[in-house]
């Protein structure tokens, strides 16, 4: 893996590998072995979603104990989320939608943000605020690869990370598009493997995902 700058940009996050794992953790004890398993498979950009009470503790453990991983916080929906994520050690943020409040909060705490969009109007609003690297969410429900193809014309200067409904069988359809840098997906971190501590399986899935062409 190439060295990363101390201060990341959204481009650094999206261009690192083809897949950013979308991680939901309920037990902080799983955080470190999971992060190590993903890094062993070649994936270091880790989006830990703020969907559980354990999420911030998990980010903190990864940030402190797995320095070769880059812990990020997903599901940032408020300024308070951004502040808490930064305090826990997150180095990037991902939001399911776009608001200027969240954008400003992430900027203020130094978190590069991948804001979520699902419509042309949301893309235009994000671009007005300087964002050209965006998360397309929920990807399948919002039009999938055909929608991204349609956006290549009017939004040719925007690069996307589609997330939502993407798995090993359809990831290539998105990654083959010229306006897609990477995809987000939870298939790399199946819950049953996390619960049983099958870190070898997660390393295998990460290795396969890291090798996907784009």
């Amino acid at each position: 893996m190439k060295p990363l700058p101390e201060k990341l940009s959204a481009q650094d996050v999206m261009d690192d590998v083809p897949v950013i794992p979308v991680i939901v953790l309920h037990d902080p004890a799983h955080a470190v072995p999971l992060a190590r398993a993903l890094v062993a498979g070649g994936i270091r950009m880790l989006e830990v979603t703020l969907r559980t009470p354990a999420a911030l503790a998990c980010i903190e453990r990864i940030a402190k104990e797995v320095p070769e991983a880059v812990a990020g916080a997903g599901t940032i929906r408020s300024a308070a989320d951004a502040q808490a994520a930064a305090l826990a050690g997150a180095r990037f943020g991902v939001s399911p939608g776009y608001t200027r409040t969240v954008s400003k909060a992430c900027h203020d705490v130094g978190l590069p943000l991948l804001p979520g969009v699902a419509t042309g109007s949301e893309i235009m609003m994000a671009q007005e605020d300087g964002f050209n690297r965006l998360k397309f969410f929920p990807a399948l429900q919002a039009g999938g690869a055909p929608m991204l193809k349609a956006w290549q014309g009017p939004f040719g200067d925007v690069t996307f990370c589609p997330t939502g409904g993407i798995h090993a069988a359809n990831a290539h359809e998105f990654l083959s598009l010229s306006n897609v840098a990477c995809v987000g997906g939870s298939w790399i971190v199946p819950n049953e493997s996390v619960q049983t501590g099958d870190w070898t399986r997660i390393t295998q899935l990460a290795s396969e995902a890291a090798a996907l062409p784009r």
Side-chain angles (χ1 to χ4, degrees):
M1 296 185 189
K2 65 180 181 180
L4 291 170
E6 185 174 343
K7 182 173 176 54
L8 295 178
S9 67
Q11 181 173 347
D12 293 324
V13 175
M14 288 176 62
D15 289 353
D16 199 50
V17 291
V19 183
I20 297 175
V22 179
I23 301 167
V24 180
L25 288 172
H26 299 273
D27 185 348
H30 293 148
V32 168
L34 172 62
R36 288 175 175 157
L38 290 166
V39 169
I43 292 181
R44 59 183 168 181
M45 298 293 172
L46 313 182
E47 179 190 342
V48 180
T49 63
L50 302 183
R51 301 181 190 177
T52 70
L56 290 171
C58 291
I59 291 171
E60 185 172 10
R61 289 197 182 188
I62 293 170
K64 288 182 176 178
E65 299 183 43
V66 193
E68 60 272 35
V70 180
T75 325
I76 293 181
R77 300 188 303 159
S78 66
D81 285 344
Q83 292 158 3
L87 284 172
R91 294 183 61 193
F92 68 91
V94 184
S95 60
Y98 182 74
T99 71
R100 287 183 169 140
T101 298
V102 166
S103 168
K104 182 179 185 302
C106 286
H107 178 270
D108 288 348
V109 297
L111 283 182
L113 176 66
L114 303 183
V117 298
T119 67
S121 297
E122 291 169 336
I123 294 172
M124 290 167 64
M125 183 181 296
Q127 281 198 289
E128 284 178 4
D129 295 338
F131 292 93
N132 287 309
R133 296 258 171 172
L134 305 173
K135 168 182 171 177
F136 177 40
F137 177 81
L140 285 192
Q141 294 86 342
M147 179 66 85
L148 288 165
K149 289 178 184 177
W151 280 344
Q152 286 174 335
F155 301 116
D157 55 344
V158 180
T159 305
F160 296 94
C161 172
T163 304
I166 297 176
H167 46 78
N170 66 4
H172 70 282
E173 180 183 3
F174 291 90
L175 290 168
S176 66
L177 299 175
S178 62
N179 58 348
V180 170
C182 64
V183 299
S186 58
W187 84 87
I188 310 170
V189 284
N191 184 60
E192 62 272 19
S193 296
V194 174
Q195 295 304 318
T196 60
D198 189 354
W199 310 123
T200 300
R201 173 61 175 155
I202 288 174
T203 294
Q204 178 186 348
L205 291 170
S207 180
E208 293 168 358
L212 286 171
R214 55 177 173 176

